Amino acid sequence: MSTLLISALDVGGVNIKAAVVEVGKPHRLLGFCTHYFPIWKIGKEGLGDALNQVNKTLRLECDVVALTMTAELSDAYQTKREGVEHIVDTVQKIYRGKPIYVLSTSGSFFHTEASIKAPLEVAGANWVATAWLAGKLLNSCIVIDVGSTTTDIIPVLRGRVAAKGKTDLERLQNGELVYTGALRTNLAALTRKVPANGVLTPISAEHFASTGDVHLILKHISEDEFTVETADGRGRSLGEAYARLARIVCADVEMLSKEALDKIARYLYKVQLNQIVDALKKVLRGVEPKDVKVESCLTLGIGRCFLAKPAAAKLGLRAYELSDLTTLKPSIPETAVALGWLLASKLGGDADLCM
């Protein structure tokens, strides 16, 4: 009997995450990669080349494609409708003749024509795959997925996704989408003031530094994990991160000591953590039905250890990583892997996924 290979694609505004899953008993993860592709900067015309590069990296010929996306929100497109249509059309051109299954916010898969006709039902739906995975592993829990740009906080009850919002707008309004991330967030979006040499000081409304600089300074991430462009286009060394951080109060490293900058970094980290905690509280308050007790969470993303887990701990939730519950390693692109696993379960039946 021939095997069926699924190429699972999460086309984001910053990265394309991909995984190849073999359908079977159990399903097998054969390969994965993350390709840096800031679509707003390179341009939507480069998406096809980026997908070809993903295929060259994976070096596996797939039979079907599972697709989800968040790049439609990028200002490369005027509307989500335009973005969905372009992304789906590009994927069709690259994977000629392959069946393409587009994930919807309801958890079902649409064929390409249906997804183009109902763009808001497939736009920004990647969180559905990780929530499905959490339901499979923990039954009732909260997903806290801290990526480079945003944080997803998704309630899962009795194995089913229980999010109140479907679109990005609705999820923002319900606290289920928090526009704060571990690498790309402009520090001016976190707070208006920071302590500088003992004085609570207003910060510049420029994009002088990002959360990646804060987490590098605090040793939450390594230089290699700082995988996006920096605010000033310079390198990712500790010294360069300190220089960027100093600029947010219109200073430099000759004006502020390392100790003063460390204090600013710790303050900003506390502010960001509290943003996530506040959203988590809001989601927990809205969990229905009330008789379901939520005591655990699945932490995902680059910020799982230094943002998701501490946020969970503040509210008394027991935090798990994928590696605690499966044979999967923390380095995998979780949304793409979950997407491939979800489609494999629909096409080949419910089964575990192994590497």
Side-chain angles (χ1 to χ4, degrees):
M1 182 178 177
S2 61
T3 58
L4 185 70
L5 297 189
I6 298 170
S7 180
L9 303 172
D10 178 8
V11 180
V14 181
N15 294 300
I16 298 173
K17 299 173 183 177
V20 176
V21 173
E22 180 185 67
V23 178
K25 300 285 184 181
H27 308 305
R28 292 178 59 221
L29 177 61
L30 301 183
F32 55 86
C33 71
T34 298
H35 180 71
Y36 182 58
F37 179 68
I39 194 170
W40 79 93
K41 184 174 182 178
I42 295 176
K44 60 187 179 184
E45 300 79 13
L47 178 57
D49 289 339
L51 291 171
N52 280 327
Q53 186 57 54
V54 166
N55 289 331
K56 287 179 182 177
T57 301
L58 291 173
R59 294 183 296 178
L60 291 164
E61 184 70 22
C62 72
D63 301 296
V64 300
V65 177
L67 173 64
T68 190
M69 67 197 82
T70 57
E72 80 290 334
L73 180 60
S74 162
D75 52 18
Y77 305 108
Q78 287 283 7
T79 64
K80 290 175 184 276
R81 181 181 299 278
E82 178 195 347
V84 169
E85 184 172 350
H86 176 260
I87 293 165
V88 171
D89 182 60
T90 303
V91 171
Q92 282 183 296
K93 289 176 180 176
I94 298 302
Y95 297 88
R96 293 185 188 91
K98 309 284 188 186
I100 297 170
Y101 297 83
V102 186
L103 183 64
S104 74
T105 54
S106 66
S108 61
F109 283 95
F110 287 8
H111 292 298
T112 53
E113 287 184 11
S115 66
I116 290 171
K117 288 179 181 177
L120 294 185
E121 293 189 47
V122 299
N126 64 350
W127 57 274
V128 176
T130 49
W132 169 84
L133 180 56
K136 182 177 178 64
L137 298 175
L138 289 172
N139 193 35
S140 294
C141 66
I142 301 288
V143 177
I144 310 175
D145 185 351
V146 185
S148 63
T149 309
T150 61
T151 297
D152 291 318
I153 301 176
I154 313 159
V156 178
L157 304 178
R158 296 181 179 134
R160 294 183 177 274
V161 181
K164 292 183 179 297
K166 296 291 187 184
T167 66
D168 287 342
L169 173 59
E170 292 168 349
R171 296 177 63 233
L172 279 170
Q173 292 169 333
N174 284 285
E176 294 163 347
L177 173 61
V178 188
Y179 237 89
T180 195
L183 299 180
R184 296 187 61 243
T185 303
N186 185 342
L187 298 182
L190 290 182
T191 185
R192 295 305 307 137
K193 296 181 179 181
V194 295
N197 289 340
V199 178
L200 200 58
T201 307
I203 65 174
S204 164
E206 297 281 355
H207 187 197
F208 279 142
S210 67
T211 46
D213 295 306
V214 168
H215 297 304
L216 183 67
I217 287 168
L218 297 178
K219 297 182 173 56
H220 294 158
I221 62 170
S222 65
E223 290 182 32
D224 289 341
E225 290 172 312
F226 200 156
T227 54
V228 300
E229 289 188 29
T230 60
D232 59 5
R234 294 190 175 93
R236 300 168 180 81
S237 70
L238 191 58
E240 288 164 315
Y242 275 120
R244 285 188 288 270
L245 186 59
R247 289 191 198 104
I248 71 170
V249 287
C250 303
D252 60 34
V253 291
E254 294 179 353
M255 299 169 65
L256 291 174
S257 68
K258 178 178 176 294
E259 290 72 21
L261 291 168
D262 285 341
K263 187 172 183 179
I264 292 173
R266 289 193 295 270
Y267 181 88
L268 288 164
Y269 169 55
K270 183 178 179 181
V271 169
Q272 186 178 35
L273 179 59
N274 285 337
Q275 280 187 348
I276 295 172
V277 170
D278 288 344
L280 182 56
K281 286 179 181 176
K282 183 174 183 178
V283 170
L284 285 169
R285 283 196 302 268
V287 166
E288 293 178 355
K290 299 296 183 183
D291 63 329
V292 180
K293 199 167 186 180
V294 177
E295 298 178 316
S296 61
C297 65
L298 180 63
T299 60
L300 304 168
I302 186 173
R304 64 189 178 278
C305 292
F306 54 88
L307 285 168
K309 284 186 174 181
K314 280 180 174 285
L315 298 184
L317 297 174
R318 183 175 180 181
Y320 295 92
E321 295 185 38
L322 270 184
S323 56
D324 297 324
L325 304 168
T326 70
T327 60
L328 301 175
K329 298 176 182 177
S331 59
I332 64 169
E334 294 147 334
T335 51
V337 171
L339 176 66
W341 194 350
L342 173 56
L343 184 57
S345 294
K346 289 187 180 291
L347 296 180
D350 189 35
D352 289 337
L353 179 70
C354 65
M355 296 189 72

